Amino acid sequence: MTFPALRRAAALVALTLPCALHAQPAAKTRAAAPRDSFALTASLPMDPAVKVGTLPNGIRYYIRQNTKPEKRAELRLVVNAGSILEDDDQRGLAHFVEHMAFNGTTNFAKNDIVTYLEGIGVRFGADLNAYTNFDETVYILPVPTDSAGILEKSFRFLGDVASGIRFDSSDVVAERGVVLSEWRDGLGAGERLRDQQFPVIFRGSRYAERLPIGKPDILEGANPGPLRRFWRDWYRPDLMAVVAVGDAEPARVERIIRQTFGPIPARPTARVRPQAAVPGHDSTLVTIAADAELTTSSVSVLWKRPAQATRTVGDLRRDLVEQLYNGMLNQRLQELALKPEAPFTGAGASSGAFVRGSEIVSLDAGAKEGRLVETLQAVLIEAERVQRHGFLASELERARTSTLRAYERAFAEREKSASEAFVDEYVNHFLTGEGAPGIAFEYAAVQRLLPAITLDEVNAVSALRAGAANRVVAVSVPDKPGLAVPTEAEIRAAFGAVVAATITPWTERVAEGALVAAVPTPGRVVSERLIPGPGITEWTLANGVRVLIKPTDFNADQILVSAFSPGGASLVEDADAFKTSLAPAIIAAGGVGEFSAIDLRKKLTGKVATAQPSIADLSEGMSGAASPKDLETLMQLLYLRFTAPRADSTVFAAQLQQFEQFLKNKDANPAAVFGDTIQQTLAMGHPRARPLSADMLRELDLTELLRIYRDRFRDAGDFTFLFVGNVTPEALKPLAEQWLGALPAGNRREAPRDAGPRQFSGVIDKAVRKGIAPQSQSVVLLAGAAPWTRTDAHALSSLGELLQMRLLERLREALGGTYSVSVNTAFSRRIRQEWQVAIQYGSAPAQADTMYAAVREEIARLRSAPPTAAEVERVKEQQRRELEVQQKQNGYWLNTIRTRVEHGDALDTLGDYLTLVNGLTAESLSAAARKFLSEENRARFVLLPEK
């Protein structure tokens, strides 16, 4: 009995006793022992911020009020049914049902819900979406909450999905092409490997033959009968839940849910929802797959086990132990990957959900070509090293610190977390019974549990990840002449070799000393001003460094920084441009000052601070982030990246090998060949547009890269440092003077130059034949030059959004020829004022020309006739709604302010975007179409299969 119940019982007794009894001495009673919420056997409580209920018909609901983002709600309809439940004539139809939900319901005609939601600012695909998995189907609906009727209408659609999908025969036939396009998009090396490996990994299980995408012959002949049967059998109240998290009053949301979903009748005589099993096996299974389009070799060792839901405090503790094990082993594997003698390019350990009712723990590695068996042995040896000798106490201490810091950060952001993060937790709670106690309880529990976890407990995890039972080894390698495919005997022999190997304990060196050995003489702020509109403080330091600070309260534990200076790779010779672009990543991988990359990682344990350099075409800079409590560490890292870059020859050798592995088989990948062809054709062979090659790698010299790096960062006098987030000028000023004011400066003033390549001109039509799968990808480009204005740049972007809507309706909905279409626009302003429109879509090879003709027709339509008022309003409303969310994100302000600064624009006009949106008209869009949809410079690239 809980304490509230005890209090209620005591009050009831007092009310029923005669008054005369009040004068009698009270009997002595023993107080009930308080319940320990953190006892290992205690069930995890449901987060008190969420209301959970069940309607009389069996539908569950989860409601939480959350104001991040404001005026938005995340809605979900969760159906505990997926492809695993399909009958033999329904393979792929669980997913097809999901498509049909958007093609006509009781209250919404075909695509009406899409049109309606786009009209209130919700983008189809990017926002409005759904997914079908083996075990569940989830409908995703993020909507505004500040306009009358939107919530009601949105729930009405989800209610229709639950009880009123129409399955009109003509709509089913029309949707076949869309679903087949989605199936076609998934073809390729990965799909062929999956088809070879899944029957082994899922041996004896229904999961091996119930992939959600289904069988093309069934999709091609899909008709309403089997679709309706699946929906009727499995879309029913006892298998559904509604989740609503967002900026809406919970009582109102609950009332709408009850009104919408309450009338759906219960199904007392429904089919039993079976739980598919993944049978165990006593010995190791091996699957070896080779494919001509595969570019890298990899190996995974999987151990399957029954799912372990986290429902009690003891379960949470078990998860922490496993998390510590994975983290420590991964740190070792990452350290080994930095050595050139390592046979793998990267490796990792993980554990987690597999399919419903099953989990896997795994060791995964990418192997250097021809060294797959070595790689398998190497990762097994590291797991065996832990089993024989355990981890070090210092490793556990760092892992504890990092884990606790992650929970601390999540707790700090508890009032700033986005609604989407909560939604996923409640969906999982409904489907699997996974606990959802909330971060306040979890953080308190972790603070108690983590210090008591011993090294012996973590070491003991290794014994659970050994042995042949329920183990699967999955190998994949490129199928190419001269590369031997490992045999099953060689794979099995690797396990015996590890058992017989002499393995010494792990040793480590931890660098001592301060991050910055000698604190520099600080500089000082010599000028200061406040830009009141956007709330930006600007400083100029004595060394010329410019600092901009925009404090925000969007996130409690985030500060972002972007530092930039004009120049970049444009200032080097053409032959050295690629070296200049690679130099920052290569030098940064060596660490800073006296700390190698490994030493630096250990030194920063528990700190949340990063600073990474980059050199782009027109600028060089630094990007970073930190927690407010680690702001000084961020400033120190920025200082060291400028003044103490570290070239590590060992790490450089390992990086070169990783580059080489990437390049060895790159041309076997159709998408890579297609992308390189587009790049080289448009650049007309310009040396700065060369795809990276093995010959170019041989030109790289670490000493030269360090020289290039130092040259770009030796003078901070023309750098601007922009800080956005939970930071105040008062807190930042002394740190800026100490660390940024001490940066070297020599009054260098640079400007980027026009180093090319130029925009393409004329008409290009190029087909690339590469690949086995019966699929095609098309890229259509329009380009030109025009004086840049903010109005024209916005009109071009808006035109791209409108064109994407039109093409989605034409290519997907009308022709059924593609699954998705993307339209991107760009209008450059620096160096040359040029614009570009890029259209991309997939199709069947035989339809590529038909689809291209349709694209050109839609472009011509936009040039010849203005859009409708409804179309214009859809574009404007999506932009308004997107801006509402973006304006509460630090990244938006960081990018927007940086763009303004780099172009020399005034910062007091940062709020003018909404003026542009509101000023958009059918006439201005029509004028933009005539200006920017010119086909004078047009390029078409199409990727087709070789045969």
Side-chain angles (χ1 to χ4, degrees), residues 879-880 883 887 910-919:
Q879 291 178 354
R880 292 188 196 107
L883 181 64
Q887 285 184 321
L910 277 171
D912 63 356
Y913 180 72
L914 192 57
T915 303
L916 293 172
V917 174
N918 291 334

Side-chain angles (χ1 to χ4, degrees), residues 8-18 22:
R8 287 194 299 272
L12 181 61
V13 169
L15 286 171
T16 56
L17 286 175
H22 288 190

Side-chain angles (χ1 to χ4, degrees), residues 1-8 32-35:
M1 183 176 286
T2 63
F3 281 111
L6 282 173
R7 287 194 292 271
R8 287 194 299 272
R35 182 173 65 88

